[in-house]
Amino acid sequence: MKHLTLLLSVLFLVPACTKTTTSSSEGEIVNESIEGGLWKTDCLASGGIYLKGESSFSGGQYYSSLTVYSDSSCSTASLEVKEVGTYALTGTIAEGLFPKSKIDLTLSTLTTTVWSSSLISSFNSNNHCGISNWSVGETRSILGLICDSKQMGQAGDKFYDIYGVQVVGDSLMGVRAGDLLFGSKSTSYDGSSENKRPVNLSSSLTYRR
C-alpha cells in the first residue's frame, strides 16, 4: 500500500490501555499495548518542513495522519494526509525487553486537507493529484490517484507491518520506554506482501502517548 506520501514520505495509535510502570536499576520499565489511546510524534524537522504524526488503534479500526506545519513549533498547519482503515494483530515475532509483533492494515480511506493558500495555488497550478480545484480547508479523497508521481493506495489495499512498544529505553535507537515504533521500510521490505513485511523497527518516526 502506498500511503502518506504527498510532500513527505512516511508512516502510525488509541483509549483505555493497560499501562504498568515500575523502576529498576536499569531504568524505567513499561508494559503497554498498542491498542487503546492516542499516539503522537514530537514536532519533527524533515527536509526543510516540520511535521507531526498521530495514530490510533482500537477495536479493529485505525487511523493515521501526518500533518505538515509552516513553523518550527508545529502550531500552524499547512497540510494533512490521513488514512483510515482496519487492522489485525497477527502474531508475535519477539518478546522480552524489545518486543516486535505483526500488524496487518487494510486501507479504507485516504484524504488530504490543505490550509495553506500558497500550497493551494501551487496544487491548482500543477494539477496536483490530477485535481485542479483544491480549496482551503476542504478534505479531498486521494484514493487511487497519482500524487507527486506516486501511486496512492486503493480501498482494500493491505499493508504488512511490524510494531513494538518499547519496554525499556534504547539509547542506541534514541527511544524511551513506552515509545511505539513501526517497521523500517526499504525496497525489499516495503510491506506490500507478507514476504516483504519489514523485519526491523525504525526510530525515524517515534510515537508517544
Side-chain angles (χ1 to χ4, degrees), residues 123-136:
F123 278 17
N124 287 333
S125 296
N126 293 291
N127 204 35
H128 187 68
C129 298
I131 300 171
S132 60
N133 61 342
W134 293 90
S135 60
V136 174

Side-chain angles (χ1 to χ4, degrees), residues 6-195:
L6 254 258
L7 303 173
L8 28 135
S9 290
V10 172
L11 248 227
F12 302 175
L13 323 254
V14 214
C17 67
T18 300
K19 180 174 180 178
T20 303
T21 303
T22 61
S23 297
S24 75
S25 59
E26 296 183 15
E28 184 183 39
I29 297 176
V30 175
N31 294 303
E32 188 168 356
S33 169
I34 188 176
E35 297 180 289
L38 183 65
W39 299 85
K40 297 180 179 182
T41 71
D42 293 333
C43 182
L44 307 171
S46 177
I49 62 174
Y50 304 96
L51 57 92
K52 290 176 71 173
E54 183 174 293
S55 293
S56 172
F57 298 87
S58 183
Q61 305 289 320
Y62 85 91
Y63 89 84
S64 183
S65 67
L66 205 58
T67 304
V68 177
Y69 295 85
S70 61
D71 59 301
S72 59
S73 61
C74 287
S75 60
T76 304
S78 298
L79 173 151
E80 177 192 65
V81 182
K82 181 177 180 178
E83 64 176 84
V84 176
T86 59
Y87 72 91
L89 307 181
T90 53
T92 300
I93 300 171
E95 297 180 327
L97 296 181
F98 303 102
K100 288 191 292 187
S101 298
K102 296 180 181 181
I103 184 169
D104 298 346
L105 306 166
T106 302
L107 183 66
S108 297
T109 65
L110 182 61
T111 59
T112 298
T113 306
V114 186
W115 294 281
S116 164
S117 296
S118 60
L119 270 182
I120 289 290
S121 178
S122 175
F123 278 17
N124 287 333
S125 296
N126 293 291
N127 204 35
H128 187 68
C129 298
I131 300 171
S132 60
N133 61 342
W134 293 90
S135 60
V136 174
E138 182 181 6
T139 298
R140 305 293 295 263
S141 173
I142 56 172
L143 277 172
L145 302 183
I146 297 175
C147 304
D148 291 345
S149 302
K150 300 180 187 297
Q151 177 67 55
M152 297 294 103
Q154 301 273 8
D157 280 358
K158 196 167 184 178
F159 183 73
Y160 302 83
D161 205 354
I162 62 172
Y163 74 93
V165 180
Q166 301 303 287
V167 175
V168 297
D170 184 340
S171 59
L172 293 178
M173 292 186 71
V175 297
R176 303 180 304 202
D179 284 358
L180 172 64
L181 309 179
F182 289 93
S184 178
K185 313 303 185 296
S186 66
T187 302
S188 299
Y189 300 103
D190 63 4
S192 59
S193 67
E194 178 64 50
N195 290 337

